[in-house]
Amino acid sequence: MQKLKQLKFFDTLSKKMVAGFVILIVIGTILLSLPIATAPGIHSSFINRLFTAASATCITGLTVVNTATHWSIFGQVVILGLSEVGALGYMTFAVLLFNIMRRNIGLSTQLMVKESLNLENLSDTKSVMRYVIGLSLLFQLGGLGLLAIDFVPRFGWTRGLYLSLYHSVMSFCNAGFDVFGDSLMGFRSDSYVLIVTMILIIAGGLGFLVWRDLLLFHERKRLSLNSKLTLLTTISLFVLGFVLLLITERDLKLLPTGTSWFNRTINTLFLSVTPRTAGLITMPTGKLQAGSLFIIMVLMFVGGTPGSTAGGIKTTTFGVLMFQSIAQLRGRQDVEFSHRRFSQANISRALLLVFLASIVISVATLILTQTEKIPQGFGLEYVVFEVLSAFGTVGLSLGLTPHLTVVGKIVIMLLMFIGRVGIFTSLYALSKRQAKVSLIRYPAENILIG
């Protein structure tokens, strides 16, 4: 009976979370429909406004129009606000409002926060919320100050501070929108801006639970298993991605002749960091080598950390399955890491997540191959890259998104939504199944595998 109640409650909670994000997208679409949201003389269609609102709320950054030229300052600020709320979760702002009004947070609200931030214990809700709000302000204001050192002398005080704020928020939120018009291609020779941006991207994608563990390490003298696995997987993917991209891109030959080795290294490192759901880029993705595109697609599929501003299947899922594979190959029954054993429920959930993600990606790819035109010189990667970018809420593109058909835009919007809300939450909310617990267990029998 208790199990039945938990399943029913999770169904209800999932529907509320999905409804919350849908409402945000609707509000964003309405605001972007206002005449002051677009630049003078520019008309925006309903599907483009909806797509932009969905992309911002789902902190993806895929765009069907140029953010810098199509939208006015008001429109750009709306996109900024949607990205901020979408990244931190609308429940974060609800709790912040409760605190400002000095009202107690109800149990249902705490449970919503717990699910939205992937917390394990309800008791973590209040303490983690303080870290979410505090760290977000710290990193984004810090990023504003650091970027202003470079941008203010270039663009003046007003424009420089606006650009600093915008790109500090977008980098930390891993959103990928920019108001330069060409992402960060104009700054590929400016290692300072790229380093600050990478720090913000990593900070946002690492996860608030991990940051809390790191900040409290001097008191606890230990890290949780989740934080250890996250840090190991994140560092491994960064290093592996960096080394492989150095090889596949031949030390970034597409950069201008005479570019220093240090700047080439920073650009390669940036290319390894940005697919972790950031979406900002310093060079045209269409000119990258095939091997580089494959590495980027793998990184986009993995994504960032649970409870962070990033998407993808998450580093912990990837880490658990890696250790599961190693244990199986060694003939071990238990999957161990850092003197701990992963539960079978964890492993089963990780396997199910990857399987469902693969199904969603495959179906979306099949639909887009029928509705979209692949230009000469490209193959299936032209579609798969965009699908993975949308599902991982990354925002990188080979050029398909601006030319999507209406059906294509709907498919990409659904992918972004599933990637941000979470595949389990989305499927639970959309399904009409009745929560029930079976009282019958059949005998087990083995079949041939492999």
Side-chain angles (χ1 to χ4, degrees):
M1 183 61 68
Q2 184 65 25
K3 180 82 170 179
L4 185 62
K5 289 180 179 179
Q6 289 176 351
L7 287 171
K8 287 181 177 179
F9 178 76
F10 186 74
D11 284 348
T12 303
L13 202 59
S14 299
K15 289 180 172 63
K16 287 182 178 180
M17 289 181 65
V18 168
F21 276 97
V22 170
I23 291 171
L24 276 177
I25 293 172
V26 171
I27 292 173
T29 305
I30 293 172
L31 291 175
L32 291 176
S33 300
L34 299 175
I36 58 172
T38 53
I42 293 181
H43 171 72
S44 182
S45 65
F46 170 77
I47 190 67
N48 285 348
R49 297 192 297 267
L50 178 63
F51 188 97
T52 302
S55 182
T57 303
C58 299
I59 51 173
T60 305
L62 286 173
T63 56
V64 287
V65 294
N66 191 308
T67 308
T69 57
H70 186 90
W71 304 106
S72 65
I73 296 296
F74 175 82
Q76 292 171 8
V77 171
V78 169
I79 293 171
L80 179 73
L82 290 173
S83 298
E84 184 77 82
V85 177
L88 303 184
Y90 64 93
M91 289 310 302
T92 301
F93 291 88
V95 171
L96 181 60
L97 184 61
F98 275 116
N99 289 334
I100 293 173
M101 297 172 65
R102 299 184 181 279
R103 292 179 57 185
N104 292 327
I105 304 172
L107 178 61
S108 60
T109 303
Q110 291 186 49
L111 288 167
M112 288 281 285
V113 173
K114 174 180 174 291
E115 289 300 322
S116 65
L117 293 176
N118 289 291
L119 303 180
E120 187 172 351
N121 300 312
L122 187 62
S123 58
D124 288 334
T125 304
K126 292 183 180 179
S127 62
V128 171
M129 285 305 301
R130 287 196 293 269
Y131 280 95
V132 170
I133 297 170
L135 286 172
S136 299
L137 286 173
L138 176 64
F139 279 114
Q140 293 179 54
L141 291 177
L144 163 64
L146 291 173
L147 290 176
I149 294 173
D150 189 289
F151 289 168
V152 169
R154 287 175 184 251
F155 304 101
W157 280 100
T158 304
R159 180 68 176 167
L161 288 175
Y162 174 70
L163 292 173
S164 301
L165 173 64
Y166 206 92
H167 291 90
S168 175
V169 172
M170 290 301 179
S171 298
F172 178 77
C173 293
N174 284 209
F177 286 91
D178 74 280
V179 287
F180 291 115
D182 59 354
S183 196
L184 296 181
M185 292 186 193
F187 295 89
R188 58 188 176 188
S189 298
D190 192 334
S191 297
Y192 173 79
V193 170
L194 298 186
I195 291 172
V196 172
T197 303
M198 282 191 289
I199 292 173
L200 290 169
I201 292 170
I202 294 170
L206 199 56
F208 299 107
L209 288 176
V210 177
W211 276 115
R212 185 187 63 167
D213 267 8
L214 291 173
L215 292 173
L216 294 178
F217 181 77
H218 68 285
E219 296 178 7
R220 299 178 175 178
K221 304 301 180 184
R222 66 179 181 84
L223 294 175
S224 67
L225 187 67
N226 177 76
S227 296
K228 289 179 181 178
L229 181 62
T230 295
L231 291 171
L232 176 64
T233 309
T234 299
I235 293 171
S236 300
L237 288 172
F238 282 155
V239 173
L240 185 61
F242 171 69
V243 172
L244 291 176
L245 286 168
L246 273 178
I247 297 171
T248 56
E249 283 303 315
R250 282 75 171 175
D251 197 23
L252 289 184
K253 281 190 174 181
L254 50 82
L255 286 178
T257 304
T259 303
S260 67
W261 68 268
F262 178 77
N263 188 255
R264 289 180 184 275
T265 301
I266 294 299
N267 273 271
T268 307
L269 188 59
F270 191 89
L271 192 60
S272 175
V273 169
T274 194
R276 308 298 304 285
T277 80
L280 297 169
I281 197 71
T282 61
M283 58 200 71
T285 49
K287 293 185 179 180
L288 296 175
Q289 300 293 325
S292 301
L293 293 178
F294 176 75
I295 295 166
I296 290 172
M297 284 191 281
V298 172
L299 293 175
M300 290 193 297
F301 182 69
V302 175
T305 306
S308 72
T309 61
I313 62 170
K314 304 298 190 296
T315 52
T316 48
T317 303
F318 181 78
V320 166
L321 294 182
M322 284 297 296
F323 280 103
Q324 160 74 1
S325 302
I326 293 171
Q328 289 291 315
L329 290 172
R330 291 180 175 178
R332 295 180 178 176
Q333 183 176 359
D334 293 335
V335 184
E336 301 170 349
F337 170 69
S338 188
H339 307 294
R340 292 292 186 273
R341 177 170 54 88
F342 293 122
S343 68
Q344 189 57 48
N346 259 164
I347 298 170
S348 298
R349 185 178 176 86
L351 287 168
L352 178 59
L353 175 59
V354 173
F355 176 75
L356 291 176
S358 301
I359 294 296
V360 169
I361 289 169
S362 299
V363 171
T365 300
L366 179 61
I367 294 173
L368 291 179
T369 56
Q370 303 304 305
T371 61
E372 312 305 316
K373 182 179 180 181
I374 299 176
Q376 190 173 3
F378 286 99
L380 186 62
E381 78 280 357
Y382 188 72
V383 174
V384 177
F385 191 94
E386 220 81 5
V387 168
L388 287 171
S389 181
F391 177 78
T393 67
V394 180
L396 296 179
S397 174
L398 287 180
L400 173 62
T401 299
H403 307 290
L404 286 169
T405 62
V406 173
V407 174
K409 290 176 182 177
I410 293 172
V411 170
I412 294 295
M413 280 191 287
L414 288 174
L415 283 171
M416 293 189 295
F417 189 86
I418 292 172
R420 177 63 189 102
V421 176
I423 194 164
F424 286 129
T425 303
S426 302
L427 293 179
Y428 271 121
L430 294 175
S431 66
K432 295 183 178 180
R433 63 181 182 82
Q434 296 295 320
K436 58 183 179 180
V437 179
S438 177
L439 300 177
I440 301 174
R441 293 191 73 190
Y442 294 102
E445 185 174 344
N446 292 325
I447 60 171
L448 296 176
I449 299 292

